[in-house]
């Protein structure tokens, strides 16, 4: 990747935010697969992945918070705001032929910390 | 980072796996902070972070599954096996002066997918 280009996965998030489904699909390789390990889901092919994202309920908005690139691998952290709620995705994208061939996306849901480690921790947010 | 070096965050995971707490502490900057956003916890300083890890219950074992490096930022995906259960951490490390100054670690817990997207998905694991 040369210096001035916008990484393809960043373009994908921007296309999703713009509800530009054709533009998003054009960034995905013919062999595209997405894996969501936390919920044990796999989306095979761009039609399934774009179809699911297009159907995702609510007026969500995506903010790209972090991008880390090494060769044909791009990691992103995005925040998705839906009303007053924020969720986050940590995504590992593999590129091939200048397109996204694989996306492994981790969508954690918040939980309370266990009591045993209270002694060493403080809350990030009150 | 030159080509042959083991990234400092990889050294940290290896030190944890070896229960080498002094070796792990020596990889952390004086200003080290760890954030665990999913459980809303912050560990300020190497003593708190090492103390918590040292107290982590169970005979856990760490496998480093993925490392992505861009300059002074290193992202890792690790699997932690504890008995028959596996959990995962997605970690963003910031390096400063050759040491880890910040770690933002996401520790997702599994959940079931919602019904609305069954039409586009298949299970990753049966």
């Amino acid at each position: 990747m040369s210096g001035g280009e916008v990484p393809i996965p960043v373009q994908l998030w921007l296309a999703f935010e713009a509800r530009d489904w054709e533009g998003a699909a054009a960034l995905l390789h013919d062999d595209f697969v997405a894996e969501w390990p936390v919920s044990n889901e796999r989306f095979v092919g761009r039609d399934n992945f774009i179809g699911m994202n297009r159907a995702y309920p609510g007026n969500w908005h995506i903010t790209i918070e972090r991008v880390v690139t090494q060769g044909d691998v791009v990691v992103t952290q995005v925040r998705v705001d839906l009303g007053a709620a924020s969720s986050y995705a940590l995504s590992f994208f593999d590129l091939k032929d200048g397109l996204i061939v694989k996306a492994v996306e981790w969508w954690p849901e918040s939980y309370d910390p266990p009591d045993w480690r209270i002694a060493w921790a403080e809350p990030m947010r009150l």
Side-chain angles (χ1 to χ4, degrees), chain A:
Chain A
M1 193 183 74
S2 60
E5 289 173 28
V6 177
I8 303 288
V10 171
Q11 295 183 39
L12 182 72
W13 289 123
L14 295 173
F16 281 169
E17 174 63 15
R19 275 64 172 168
D20 175 9
W21 309 112
E22 289 189 15
L27 301 170
L28 305 182
H29 196 280
D30 284 347
D31 298 329
F32 176 79
V33 174
E35 292 181 347
W36 287 13
V38 184
S39 51
N40 190 29
E41 292 171 283
R42 177 184 285 121
F43 304 94
V44 177
R46 69 166 72 83
D47 289 351
N48 281 321
F49 192 63
I50 297 295
M52 178 273 294
N53 275 280
R54 189 170 187 157
Y56 208 105
N59 185 25
W60 43 265
H61 289 288
I62 294 167
T63 302
I64 301 167
E65 296 193 327
R66 196 148 194 187
V67 181
V68 180
T69 300
Q70 181 182 12
D72 281 339
V73 176
V74 180
V75 180
T76 66
Q77 174 186 316
V78 302
R79 190 183 77 241
V80 182
D81 294 317
L82 178 53
S86 294
S87 56
Y88 296 85
L90 303 317
S91 305
F92 292 73
F93 297 95
D94 293 321
L95 306 183
K96 183 180 176 184
D97 309 327
L99 298 171
I100 300 169
V101 70
K102 188 167 186 187
V104 180
E105 305 199 298
W106 304 78
W107 290 89
E109 292 190 349
S110 296
Y111 53 80
D112 290 328
D115 288 341
W116 68 261
R117 60 181 187 245
I118 286 176
W120 298 281
E122 60 183 50
M124 282 180 64
R125 307 169 296 273
L126 295 181

